[in-house]
Structure formats: structure tokens, C-alpha cells
Amino acid sequence: MSALYGYRGFATVVDLTTGEYRRDPIPQQALRSTIGGIGLGTWLLHRYGSPPVDHDGDLLSDDNRKQLLDAALEPANPLIFVTSPLVGTRLTTSSKFAVMTRSPLTGFIADGLSSSHLAVELKRACGDALVITGRSQYAALLHIDADGVPRITPAAHLMGLSTMDTESAVKQELDDGSRRPVRVACIGPAGENLVRFASIANDGGRQAGRCGPGAVMGSKHLKAIAVRGNPESDPPIADPMALRAYARDLSRRSLGAATAKYRELGTIANVSVFNRLGTLPTRNFQQSTFEGAEAVSGEALHQTRATRSAHCANCTIGCEKIVTVGTKDTGANGAREVSARLEYESLFALGPLVGVGDPDAVIRAVRRCDELGLDTISAGGVIAWAIETAERGLLGNPQVADDDGSAGRSLNFGDGAAVIDLLDDIGHRRGPLGNLLAEGSRLAAERVAGGSESWAMQVKGLEMPGYEPRSLKTLALGLATTPRGACHNRTSAYDADFSPEVDRLAVDDQRGKIAADSEDFAAALDSLIWCKFLRRAFSDFWEDSAAVYRMVTGWEDFDADELRRAAAHIADLKKAYNQRWGWRRSDDTLPGRTLNEPLADGVAAGVGLTSAELDAMIADYYRARGWSAEGRVDLAVIAL
Amino acid sequence: MKSAAPNGVSVVVTVELFGLARVRAGVSSVCLTVDAQTPVTELLGALAQECPDLVGSALCLSDRGTISVADGYALNRNGLAFLSPEIEAPLDWAPGDSLLLLSNQAGG
């Protein structure tokens, strides 16, 4: 076996049930064909998370969907943290890692990404991946220090703490005076209470948010993970001089026009644009414009609020905008600043989607989600569903509990205070309504019925992001087909819609190829792992990335074509994983509202998307992928 | 704010600014009176005159002395069709038309 550059070549596997651990080698061919991050993570999910019966197709029926979702919360479901060959280099935005598991919200692949110092320490302490299986007998902290030996210690004293307080407490406990602190991943009350869209937080509030990895972590009775590796464990780089020169050049380009929006205003700049283009989902996707959009727009917040930028470790862009709304009395500790990391998806979901136009209320709601460890998109989505369902009289007379536990207010769009109270109810599974919504909008709608399934705005169980698919037809296809569910990050199909390349309001036979290509692009980004906001800073993404990969790994015959093949292979592997867990053709669809109701307002008023139009695009997509007409991939890809 | 139409039928086109363009210009929109057959490049030239702070950020001066959108920006007509930044042919502007100047990055 040749020397290994860029990778550690093994995964640390910890069984929380027995307390045992081992280091499993990862074959070089697997590393090369799946790169790292989400690609390697998918390969590892196949390896460690096989279904109980390796059966292609008949696993899922309407009768046993709930059982399969619940099985994601059983000890056998692995929770996997995966780094990449670029982690530990000086390349801008490369300090990222993937969090992989089977989602208790969708039943399918959950492939999250997060960033910052934790990525570097994971690679030093655990290798290319940390695989966690089993379930601790008690609330636990998993600590892996420079010797690479996992230690499982009681964490009952941490239970109930917010994500921020948990991270602070763990860092304080493990502080040994070293200049290098431990880095922490943890869950909040939502993860402890198995809320199906609970997130995992790290490095001061960054989140692996979507699909409920925090619930899986909670199901293992694992409150926090603390890692601190040995810098001498960093794997060698094949051509460090060339990589250093490229890193300098890329950092310079990362400060150019291609990232100006993200650096200066952040993604919250989307609000005013999306509103004007009729693609800002409002009041549970009943409208595509919001009369209060200007007040919560990025431009307005930039001018009226104290805002500062936050950078992930080793990042030159600094897309996150931390917005302050005031102070909070914390008793003996005095007043503490109340601020939130604000980005478009959180702002949309807890603002226009629930009809809230008060910036302070939105910021406080985002902050509350981060404290509880809740995915903001799903939280806003399920609350929007609940408000509409209540307004239609299908929820009886739901009462949101006030902070003091007394019966509170009814549900209405635009009531920011009620949204915050309801977030608390969901995060603690408090009361019938909080407990119902903690299940996510698909299960909640199935339980309530009465037609509410059609306005549960989710795909495969995952709540929709802040892009209106009826006025973004290419993205509509991406949302319907992406293995993760309704996710804008695993497909960048909206790039075509926001360009002269296509008519975003119409469908045609080119969208299948565009959606497949954009998904491959995202797979490459997410596996190397580059931040998506860097994507236009490359002169040629595929050539540049292949060159970087050669510099890091020393695999001199790796070229752009092989990187493209790897990206397509990763897409196949993801689909194969879902097939093994019962994926059916009917899972690739969009919510009833999207397919049955034309847009009611905005520049695209009257525009809709029919089932026939979506089916035609899906058929084109399957053809572009080389899958069967029913959308199935040959499971032999798993062995490749 | 208005610019004189060079000739022919004149119309008022509203240039709507988003994101950094709005921040740089300090206004959210600018009304320009232009010839109904004005190419986009000339419209952008009129915009540059009204909002000189946009030159060097959202707008750039080409070697030929014409104004175009800078890297990282996009143009959209009436909130519907995105325009190619290279477009130099005259467009039929109608009263009430809008030209949107926005980031070409839609990631969120």
C-alpha cells in the first residue's frame, strides 16, 4: 500500500452500549471514489448502517413508515462525523465536516454539514471519521483527546442546558490550562427530547441542522462530544509548496466580487430580492410575497441593527451576521447580550413563513432555536402548518403555553411572541401541541388529517426551504428528487432559475440534466468539502478542485473527469441508501399545495406547477442520471 | 431623478436596487427617463450618472468606455426575465417597466 497523504486512512468506531472502541481502516479506493465529507459519509452509512433486511423496495409501506422512522432512534443507527482531505490545510473555507445518519424525520439519508475548529480536531483525534453506534446506559459525554482514546463519562449535570451553555460547561470542565481548548459538538433540550428535527451544535452556535441528527444523538443518550487532537497527527500533504501557493491565490479570490454579497450583507440579502421576484414563501406558502419584507430585509437590518460578521475557522468570507436585539437579565450574572446568527433560511422560516414582520421577534426566535437545538427551517415550517391548520379549525382550540406554564394564546400568523413560546413547547415536547409538532409536519398532518397533508410543506418529511418552487421550476425538480428531502443545499438548481439560462416560470425538457448536474456539483463541493459560497471564486471549479486534490493526496492521475465521476457516484450511493430503506417513486414529489394551487400574488401570480409537468421533469432527471424509468439505481454501485 | 431621453419616444424606467447596490447608492430605486429603444448598456450609463457610487462596485466601466454590470451582479426585467449581462441590443421599454440590479448569488 502506498503512503497516504491528506487522509488518516481510518475511522474511530465507538460503541456506546459496550464502551468499546476500535479503529477501522478505510480502503484507499473508497477514499478516492468518494473523496470525503458527504461522499465518504454515504459510503460509511452503507457500511455501518445497513437496513435490517437488505431488500430493495418493499421495506416501506404506509403501515410501517412510523416504525421505520422510530427505528432511526434505535441504537443500531450510526451517527457519523466525517472530515475531508482538505481539513487541516490552509485552504479557505476547508474547515468543514459532515454529519451522517438515517433521519428520524424522513427515514432516509441525513447528510448535514457544519464548520469550524471542530473539523480540525476531529481529524486529529479520530481520523477521517468518528462512527458512533449503540446507546449509553446514562446521559453521557464522549471525550476524545490527543491519545485518540474515547472516554465516556456521565453528563447528567449537563442535561437540560442550552447548546451554548453545554458547550461552555464542557470546555470549562475539560480545561487543563492548555492553549488549545477542546472543541465541542452537543445537543440542546430538543435533542434530549427526541424532537425529530433537532440539530447538533458546535463551535459557538454552528449547526448541523437538517433532518434531525440531534434526535439521533439524543437517542444515544449522548449530550456532548469533546475532541482535541494532536497537531502532530495531521496527515502529510503531498505537495505542500504548491498547495500553499494555491491557498494564497484562492484566499485573494475569495475576497472578490463573487463573494461580496456574503461578506458584506450575508444571505439575509435574499429577502428583498426574493420578495420582488415572487419567490419568498409567506404564511405557509399561501403567498409568495410578504408585505413586511422590507422591515426584515438584509438591507434594513444592515442599517438599523448592530451587526457583526462571524467567520468559521480558516474562512476568509465571514457570511454569518450576528445581529443584536438587546440584553437579557440573567439574574446574578447580570445582563447578557441577546443576539443571533442570522442567515436567510432562519430569517425566512421564522419571519415571512409564519407571517412575522417584527425583526426583534424573528431574531429572538432564531436565538431560541439555537439554544434549544432546533432546525430553524423545520421549526418554522411545522409552526406555519400548525397556524394554518388551526385557522381552518382542525386543531380544536390549541393553546400555546406561556413561559410560566399557564395557558396562553391561540395560534395566528404574525404573532411573534406565540412563535417563540411554541418553539419552547416543541423543544421540550411540552403539551399536546408541542408534542405533536415535535414530530415534524408530515407525521403531524397524518395524525390530524382533514386534508392538512396537502399544506404540510415538506418533501420526504423534510420541511421546505425558503424558495418558492412554483416560480423556480428547476429548483422544484431538485427539491422533489434530492435524496435528503426538500433541501436547497444538496442541489444548486436555483442557480439556473436566477439566470438567463432558463425561463424560471416554465418547464422544458432541459431541467433534468440541469438538476442532475447541479446535484453533482453540490456533491463535489460537499465531499471535498468547500463552502458553497466559494463556488464562483474558482476559475474552473472541476479543474481547480482536481488540482487541489492532487496536491493534497499525491494521486497524480486524478483529474477533473474523475472528480465528475466521483460526484455522480456519490449521487448514486445516496439514492442506493434510500432504496435500501424503502424509497419508492412516489417519494419524489412535492406537497399538494405546490401541485394544485397557482401562486396567488406577486409577479408570478397565476403560475402553477402541475403533477404532469413535475413528472415529466422527473423522468428527464432519471434519464440524465442513468437510472431506470422508475428512478431506481442498480444497487451494485455500492460495491464499486 | 431623471435623465434626458436622447431622442424618439421617451419612457420612465425604474431601476430597482437590491443588496449591496442599494447600500452603496443609498436609495432603493432610481427613475430614469430614457428612449424606449435604449439598450441596457446605455440605461446603465444613465444609472451611473445618477448614482456614481455604484461605479466600481455594482457597475464597472469597460475598456470601451461603456458601463456594464460588475462581476457578482445580475439584471432582471420586471421581476420576471433575467437578462444576459452582455446584451447590447435595444430593448422595447414600456412605461412602468423596471430594471432590477441584484446580486447573481442566490444561495441561502
Side-chain angles (χ1 to χ4, degrees):
Chain A
M1 183 176 291
S2 58
L4 198 55
Y5 295 94
Y7 295 103
R8 303 291 307 279
F10 66 87
T12 297
V13 182
V14 180
D15 184 340
L16 292 175
T17 303
T18 64
E20 295 174 345
Y21 82 100
R22 64 182 189 274
R23 286 183 167 184
D24 284 355
I26 303 175
Q28 286 193 17
Q29 183 51 39
L31 296 171
R32 181 164 172 159
S33 65
T34 63
I35 309 296
I38 281 176
L40 177 59
T42 307
W43 187 88
L44 292 166
L45 265 186
H46 278 287
R47 182 176 183 177
Y48 294 101
S50 300
V53 180
D54 197 0
H55 190 121
D56 183 16
D58 297 328
L59 204 57
L60 187 66
S61 71
D62 290 335
D63 293 335
N64 67 8
R65 180 190 296 277
K66 180 70 162 50
Q67 291 96 309
L68 276 173
L69 293 177
D70 288 343
L73 299 173
E74 291 299 316
N77 189 22
L79 178 64
I80 307 175
F81 294 76
V82 194
T83 65
S84 89
L86 308 192
V87 169
T89 70
R90 290 299 188 91
L91 291 160
T92 183
T93 81
S94 64
S95 296
K96 298 182 79 72
F97 61 96
V99 181
M100 311 291 298
T101 190
R102 192 168 73 81
S103 168
L105 187 65
T106 70
F108 296 134
I109 190 168
D111 50 351
L113 286 172
S114 189
S115 324
S116 216
H117 300 282
L118 181 66
V120 177
E121 299 304 327
L122 274 169
K123 189 168 178 177
R124 288 171 173 167
C126 306
D128 298 311
L130 169 63
V131 181
I132 302 168
T133 64
R135 174 183 290 158
S136 170
Q137 298 295 308
Y138 48 84
L141 164 68
L142 173 62
H143 175 207
I144 307 177
D145 220 314
D147 59 6
V149 177
R151 296 171 178 83
I152 303 166
T153 57
H157 60 295
L158 300 175
M159 299 302 276
L161 294 184
S162 71
T163 59
M164 292 85 157
D165 289 344
T166 301
E167 180 173 343
S168 297
V170 171
K171 281 185 168 179
Q172 195 169 0
E173 283 177 31
L174 299 177
D175 178 15
D176 60 359
S178 162
R179 288 167 52 199
R180 293 178 46 251
V182 294
R183 299 296 176 177
V184 177
C186 65
I187 57 174
E192 296 172 27
N193 290 303
L194 308 184
V195 177
R196 290 184 189 271
F197 44 92
S199 60
I200 296 175
N202 69 279
D203 283 305
R206 289 180 171 80
Q207 311 278 339
R210 307 234 65 194
C211 297
V216 175
M217 191 159 157
S219 76
K220 297 184 178 307
H221 299 162
L222 185 59
K223 176 66 175 173
I225 301 164
V227 291
R228 176 175 47 193
N230 183 347
E232 293 178 4
S233 300
D234 287 341
I237 301 299
D239 190 346
M241 296 285 283
L243 190 69
R244 198 172 300 131
Y246 184 86
R248 273 198 302 270
D249 184 51
L250 186 62
S251 292
R252 181 184 55 77
R253 278 184 276 143
S254 76
L255 298 174
T259 62
K261 167 190 154 183
Y262 301 121
R263 292 198 316 273
E264 298 195 40
L265 289 179
T267 58
I268 55 178
N270 285 355
V271 173
S272 57
V273 174
F274 285 20
N275 190 55
R276 181 65 174 87
L277 300 181
T279 187
L280 177 64
T282 298
R283 295 186 185 84
N284 200 33
F285 288 75
Q286 294 180 91
Q287 291 99 36
S288 60
T289 65
F290 181 48
E291 71 281 1
E294 285 303 320
V296 294
S297 70
E299 297 92 331
L301 291 172
H302 178 77
Q303 291 181 327
T304 61
R305 306 282 154 166
T307 304
R308 66 180 189 273
S309 296
H311 293 247
C312 293
N314 211 21
C315 171
T316 48
I317 296 175
C319 68
E320 280 194 315
K321 303 303 162 196
I322 299 182
V323 186
T324 303
V325 289
T327 56
K328 175 182 178 182
D329 185 357
T330 56
N333 297 322
R336 190 162 70 179
E337 183 183 79
V338 177
S339 61
R341 294 172 183 278
L342 212 53
E343 44 85 33
Y344 169 68
E345 288 297 338
S346 299
L347 182 54
F348 128 82
L350 297 163
L353 189 65
V354 290
V356 174
D358 172 5
D360 283 0
V362 177
I363 294 164
R364 289 180 191 278
V366 173
R367 169 80 184 192
R368 196 68 193 118
C369 281
D370 288 349
E371 289 170 340
L372 291 163
L374 283 172
D375 172 27
T376 52
I377 303 176
S378 284
V382 74
I383 290 174
W385 171 86
I387 295 172
E388 182 174 352
T389 306
E391 286 187 350
R392 291 171 179 253
L394 292 173
L395 281 183
N397 182 27
Q399 294 291 298
V400 183
D402 277 341
D403 284 344
D404 63 4
S406 62
R409 46 171 57 85
S410 57
L411 283 176
N412 294 292
F413 283 115
D415 188 342
V419 167
I420 295 171
D421 287 340
L422 192 48
L423 290 171
D424 270 324
D425 291 351
I426 293 169
H428 294 95
R429 282 189 178 267
R430 189 163 57 205
L433 184 59
N435 203 37
L436 174 72
L437 301 188
E439 293 290 274
S441 55
R442 179 174 65 180
L443 286 179
E446 286 176 359
R447 194 170 301 168
V448 170
S452 68
E453 300 94 328
S454 71
W455 63 82
M457 303 305 290
Q458 51 78 28
V459 177
K460 300 182 179 72
L462 185 66
E463 285 73 16
M464 304 262 281
Y467 296 72
E468 170 54 65
R470 285 165 287 189
S471 55
L472 299 168
K473 294 294 199 302
T474 323
L475 181 65
L477 174 60
L479 294 176
T481 54
T482 304
R484 189 190 203 191
C487 175
H488 62 297
N489 273 326
R490 299 296 168 263
T491 170
S492 51
Y494 56 78
D495 275 339
D497 290 319
F498 287 99
S499 79
E501 184 181 358
V502 303
D503 177 353
R504 66 188 175 94
L505 303 182
V507 301
D508 59 46
D509 60 5
Q510 303 302 306
R511 307 308 168 92
K513 175 75 163 58
I514 294 172
D517 287 348
S518 75
E519 198 176 25
D520 286 353
F521 183 38
L525 283 162
D526 296 342
S527 299
L528 280 161
I529 308 168
W530 297 115
C531 175
K532 289 194 171 62
F533 298 157
L534 198 61
R535 65 187 186 274
R536 296 199 189 198
F538 297 98
S539 49
D540 180 315
F541 169 77
W542 297 98
E543 292 290 347
D544 283 15
S545 294
V548 167
Y549 191 72
R550 287 194 299 273
M551 294 172 203
V552 172
T553 65
W555 289 329
E556 290 300 325
D557 56 342
F558 189 96
D559 59 16
D561 286 343
E562 184 170 350
L563 181 58
R564 287 180 186 276
R565 289 196 300 276
H569 177 56
I570 291 163
D572 285 349
L573 283 178
K574 289 188 190 184
K575 184 57 178 286
Y577 182 80
N578 280 3
Q579 277 180 213
R580 295 176 79 188
W581 282 99
W583 174 89
R584 297 172 300 183
R585 168 63 184 82
S586 57
D587 290 307
D588 282 358
T589 189
L590 290 169
R593 163 160 291 155
T594 307
L595 298 175
N596 297 315
E597 300 176 21
L599 291 172
D601 64 340
V603 292
V607 173
L609 174 64
T610 67
S611 293
E613 288 173 326
L614 179 62
D615 285 346
M617 289 198 295
I618 289 174
D620 288 336
Y621 168 80
Y622 292 159
R623 268 193 294 277
R625 279 257 163 261
W627 296 344
S628 75
E630 293 75 38
R632 306 191 77 78
V633 65
D634 185 345
L635 290 183
V637 298
I638 299 166
L640 296 179
Chain B
M1 305 293 285
K2 295 189 176 183
S3 299
N7 51 47
V9 178
S10 61
V11 295
V12 177
V13 175
T14 303
V15 180
E16 300 177 33
L17 305 173
F18 293 90
L20 286 175
R22 183 183 296 182
V23 172
R24 298 275 190 269
V27 295
S28 58
S29 65
V30 179
C31 292
L32 299 172
T33 302
V34 297
D35 189 283
Q37 294 293 309
T38 298
V40 168
T41 49
E42 288 185 21
L43 193 66
L44 294 177
L47 175 64
Q49 287 189 336
E50 293 291 340
C51 301
D53 288 344
L54 290 178
V55 180
S57 55
L59 302 176
C60 61
L61 187 64
S62 75
D63 295 341
R64 293 179 293 162
T66 58
I67 294 288
S68 59
V69 290
D71 284 349
Y73 287 85
L75 295 171
N76 179 289
R77 188 175 186 179
N78 294 330
L80 295 168
F82 282 84
L83 304 178
S84 168
E86 294 82 27
I87 191 164
E88 293 188 6
L91 296 174
D92 284 327
W93 296 103
D97 272 357
S98 290
L99 179 70
L100 282 57
L101 177 57
L102 63 160
S103 169
N104 71 353
Q105 303 282 312

